[in-house]
């Protein structure tokens, strides 16, 4: 029996550029501090050292893993930290060689000595990191975590496994596989989003569910808005120029607006020929992932590197397909997307370090395709078919970021994932799902087998593919 996974586990608000390499280590640092507070007098700590392993080490610099760890140890929350404060906090640590541990007291901290990049892999998972605290009585305490994708962090002993299973028992409709979801839909005569909503209600009040879903959407909308109105060069050394700004200027024209919601309404008034639609969807996806690459606030969907697909497809529905759509459709979309993502996580992986980019862009495209299909009137069978089609055409996609940065080819891949999601939804809507030859569960199994067979060079290590074919100097 797998763990209970909520929509809010799959769609988490955090800071870019990577859910597994930035958000995960950040959360691991928070958990380490919590362990220390539970077992020790934290004020007796005189030093903290962090060892990074495997993919976290190989692409950690490009993914700001070291910055995330410093922010986490400083007691900052990725969901709420003012983005504009990040540079100041990091510079203070680097310049003073000290860290404000847990936002309580200062200890010495040398970035070059206390964050160690080890190229060897730990056996449990490709993204491993070990925290060690040293105390004034010469004793020490170490704890190892694994960032398994999408901001999820586990320990090898999985201490919380029983707790998670207990939570799952509260679900009226426990789901591990797509076939189980279909059975519930047929038996209860409910849509997928209605089944998901019933599960969520076993964990939270309806008011909390509704508030949090809309908060997630507002974060997505604001991210698109910021990305479309920011120009310049992305940080990291590749000198990648932001493209969403120019594309947006060409599309929006002389429209007047002063906030994201007014902006959305203005887009609804623009021309909707096929080329313009392609450009708008691409623009939305580019905008999100340019914000992500610049350490901005995004929503993991299911990861940071693939965070542009779902907002772009949902925005497409709101500004192109259905101008009357509002909060009801937004919540419906996010619940379906979250459930499809959780099925992929249980049956395969959402970690590029484990499965390549098929685990990120592929899964996000499947999530978006399914959600769009339900909004467009698809049956539960067609919704799952849409997810299957989207993933089927991402199988084997490698993760080979140049310079370890979530920029090339990551940003563009979000545009392709969004367009494929829309196409997959349309194909499913025009198909009798009972004639499908490949089920969603089968494609998830195939994805996992492909992930296991994939050469490790193509799993977020920057040791193969475009990462070695194109040097930083070429850019």
């Amino acid at each position: 029996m797998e763990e209970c996974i909520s929509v809010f586990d799959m769609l988490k608000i955090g800071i870019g550029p990577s859910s597994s390499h930035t958000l995960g280590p950040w959360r691991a640092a928070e958990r380490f501090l919590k362990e220390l507070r539970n077992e020790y007098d934290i004020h007796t700590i005189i030093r903290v050292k962090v060892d990074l392993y495997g993919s976290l080490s190989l692409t950690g610099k490009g993914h700001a893993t070291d910055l995330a760890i410093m922010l986490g140890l400083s007691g900052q929350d990725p969901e709420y930290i003012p983005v504009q404060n990040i540079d100041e906090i990091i510079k203070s640590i680097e310049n003073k060689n000290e860290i404000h541990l847990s936002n309580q007291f200062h200890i010495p901290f040398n970035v070059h000595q206390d964050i160690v990049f080890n190229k060897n892999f730990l056996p449990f998972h490709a993204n491993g990191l070990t925290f060690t605290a040293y105390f004034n009585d010469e004793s020490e305490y170490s704890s190892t975590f694994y960032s398994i994708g999408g901001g999820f962090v586990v320990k090898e002993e999985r201490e919380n496994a029983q707790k998670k299973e207990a939570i799952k028992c509260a679900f009226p409709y426990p789901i591990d596989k797509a076939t189980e979801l279909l059975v519930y839909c047929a038996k209860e005569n409910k849509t997928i989003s209605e089944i998901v909503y019933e599960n969520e209600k076993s964990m939270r009040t309806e008011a909390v569910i509704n508030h949090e879903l809309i908060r997630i959407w507002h974060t997505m909308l604001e991210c698109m808005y910021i990305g479309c109105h920011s120009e310049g060069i992305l940080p990291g050394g590749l000198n990648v120029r932001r493209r969403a700004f120019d594309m947006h200027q060409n599309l929006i024209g002389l429209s007047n607006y002063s906030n994201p919601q007014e902006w959305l309404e203005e887009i609804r008034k623009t021309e909707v020929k096929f080329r313009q639609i392609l450009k708008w969807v691409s623009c939305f996806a580019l905008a999100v992932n340019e914000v992500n690459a610049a350490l901005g606030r995004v929503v993991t969907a299911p990861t940071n590197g693939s965070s542009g697909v779902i907002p772009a497809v949902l925005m497409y529905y709101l500004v192109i397909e259905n101008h009357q759509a509002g909060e009801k459709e937004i919540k419906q979309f996010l619940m379906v997307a979250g459930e499809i993502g959780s099925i992929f996580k249980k049956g395969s992986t959402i970690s590029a370090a484990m499965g390549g980019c098929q685990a990120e862009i592929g899964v996000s495209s499947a999530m978006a395709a399914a959600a769009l299909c339900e909004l467009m009137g698809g049956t539960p069978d067609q919704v799952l078919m849409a997810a299957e089609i989207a993933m089927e055409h991402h199988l084997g996609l490698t993760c080979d970021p140049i310079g370890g940065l979530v920029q090339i080819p990551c940003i563009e891949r979000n545009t392709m994932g969004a367009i494929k999601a829309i196409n997959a939804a349309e194909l499913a809507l025009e198909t009798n799902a009972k004639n499908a030859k490949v089920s969603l569960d089968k494609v998830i199994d195939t994805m996992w087998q492909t992930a296991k067979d994939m050469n490790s060079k193509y799993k977020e290590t920057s040791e193969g593919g475009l990462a070695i074919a194109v040097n930083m100097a070429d850019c």
Side-chain angles (χ1 to χ4, degrees):
M1 188 69 73
E2 291 286 350
E3 75 268 27
C4 155
I5 299 179
S6 164
V7 169
F8 303 107
D9 292 322
M10 298 306 303
L11 304 173
K12 296 189 284 288
I13 299 171
I15 300 295
S18 170
S19 51
S20 58
H21 287 56
T22 314
L23 183 59
W26 195 325
R27 292 301 190 194
E30 291 179 326
R31 284 183 56 178
F32 177 63
L33 290 176
K34 183 177 181 180
E35 289 181 5
L36 290 173
R37 285 192 292 268
N38 289 341
E39 300 293 334
Y40 301 93
D41 179 0
I42 195 171
H43 292 87
T44 62
I45 296 172
I46 58 173
R47 183 192 175 202
V48 172
K49 180 169 75 80
V50 188
D51 284 278
L52 304 177
Y53 296 94
S55 180
L56 281 184
S57 174
L58 292 167
T59 62
K61 287 287 186 181
H63 288 92
T65 304
D66 48 349
L67 308 188
I69 287 168
M70 288 187 273
L71 291 164
L73 291 175
S74 299
Q76 302 297 323
D77 188 330
E79 194 166 342
Y80 295 102
I81 182 176
V83 175
Q84 64 272 18
N85 291 356
I86 291 176
D87 280 348
E88 182 182 346
I89 295 170
I90 296 301
K91 286 178 182 177
S92 176
I93 296 170
E94 293 174 340
N95 293 337
K96 296 179 181 179
N97 282 328
E98 65 177 24
I99 194 165
H100 197 199
L101 191 66
S102 192
N103 203 26
Q104 291 181 280
F105 64 101
H106 291 90
I107 63 169
F109 191 87
N110 186 306
V111 175
H112 304 292
Q113 296 176 6
D114 293 327
I115 299 180
V116 182
F117 292 80
N118 304 280
K119 291 187 177 182
N120 57 303
F121 286 70
L122 298 180
F124 182 71
H125 191 278
N127 290 333
L129 68 166
T130 298
F131 294 85
T132 304
Y134 301 86
F135 300 91
N136 57 14
D137 63 359
E138 298 187 357
S139 63
E140 60 186 69
Y141 171 77
S142 292
S143 188
T144 298
F145 300 87
Y146 298 90
S147 180
I148 61 173
F152 289 88
V153 177
V154 301
K155 304 193 75 169
E156 187 169 358
E157 58 268 32
R158 293 182 180 271
E159 294 173 335
N160 294 321
Q162 288 185 330
K163 292 180 183 177
K164 288 181 178 178
E165 196 148 323
I167 293 173
K168 179 166 185 176
C169 294
F171 269 20
Y173 306 110
I175 299 161
D176 288 338
K177 293 185 176 292
T179 48
E180 296 170 347
L181 177 56
L182 282 180
V183 169
Y184 292 134
C185 289
K187 182 180 177 181
E188 303 296 331
N189 192 28
K190 292 180 182 292
T191 63
I192 290 175
S193 60
E194 289 171 336
I195 293 292
V196 176
Y197 193 52
E198 292 302 313
N199 280 345
E200 291 295 330
K201 287 196 296 184
S202 71
M203 301 173 71
R204 300 171 178 85
T205 66
E206 292 186 40
V208 170
I209 295 167
N210 295 336
H211 176 270
E212 288 303 300
L213 286 172
I214 295 304
R215 188 166 75 95
I216 286 169
W217 164 242
H218 285 161
T219 303
M220 290 179 170
L221 179 60
E222 183 178 36
C223 187
M224 286 184 280
Y225 184 81
I226 291 170
C228 284
H229 295 84
S230 301
E231 57 183 330
I233 304 297
L234 293 173
L238 286 178
N239 295 316
V240 174
R241 180 177 173 78
R242 291 176 181 261
R243 283 184 283 176
F245 180 87
D246 291 333
M247 186 178 289
H248 173 258
Q249 286 292 99
N250 291 333
L251 288 165
I252 199 70
L254 300 176
S255 298
N256 292 313
Y257 50 86
S258 59
N259 59 60
Q261 187 59 41
E262 289 180 5
W263 175 60
L264 186 154
E265 297 296 339
E266 285 300 312
I267 296 173
R268 284 175 165 169
K269 301 174 185 177
T270 62
E271 192 174 34
V272 289
K273 291 181 180 177
F274 182 67
R275 286 187 66 195
Q276 277 68 35
I277 294 172
L278 285 176
K279 289 177 182 179
W280 270 122
V281 174
S282 296
C283 182
F284 299 144
L286 286 175
V288 171
N289 287 89
E290 287 173 355
V291 169
N292 179 65
L295 277 74
R297 180 163 283 116
V298 299
V299 177
T300 63
T303 66
N304 283 31
S306 60
S307 58
V309 176
I310 286 173
V313 175
L314 178 49
M315 190 70 161
Y316 158 80
Y317 179 78
L318 295 173
V319 301
I320 304 295
E321 286 295 336
N322 185 359
H323 289 190
Q324 281 68 53
E327 290 191 357
K328 174 181 176 293
E329 289 79 10
I330 290 167
K331 291 183 288 188
Q332 187 178 350
F333 187 100
L334 295 176
M335 284 190 288
V336 175
E339 183 59 44
I340 296 303
S342 74
I343 294 173
F344 270 97
K345 183 180 183 298
K346 293 168 186 172
S348 185
T349 180
I350 58 170
S351 167
M354 292 295 287
C357 199
Q358 60 174 355
E360 298 204 19
I361 293 296
V363 173
S364 66
S365 186
M367 292 165 68
L372 179 63
C373 188
E374 180 169 303
L375 288 188
M376 301 277 275
T379 65
D381 292 273
Q382 289 175 318
V383 169
L384 298 186
M385 185 181 186
E388 183 281 321
I389 293 171
M391 172 50 73
E392 185 177 327
H393 300 289
H394 282 94
L395 286 173
L397 188 61
T398 60
C399 180
D400 48 356
I402 297 172
L405 297 163
V406 192
Q407 297 181 21
I408 304 173
C410 320
I411 296 174
E412 280 185 358
R413 280 189 181 165
N414 279 264
T415 73
M416 304 306 290
I419 297 299
K420 282 186 181 182
I422 296 169
N423 198 20
E426 292 292 353
L427 286 171
L429 288 167
E430 295 298 323
T431 305
N432 184 339
K434 299 192 182 302
N435 296 329
K437 304 298 182 184
V438 183
S439 69
L440 179 56
D441 287 330
K442 286 291 184 184
V443 87
I444 291 174
D445 290 342
T446 302
M447 175 197 160
W448 181 231
Q449 188 59 53
T450 303
K452 291 188 288 186
D453 291 342
M454 187 181 290
N455 191 301
S456 62
K457 291 190 301 184
Y458 303 109
K459 296 181 181 180
E460 206 169 10
T461 61
S462 285
E463 293 183 328
L466 288 174
I468 63 170
V470 182
N471 297 318
M472 293 282 282
D474 296 330
C475 300

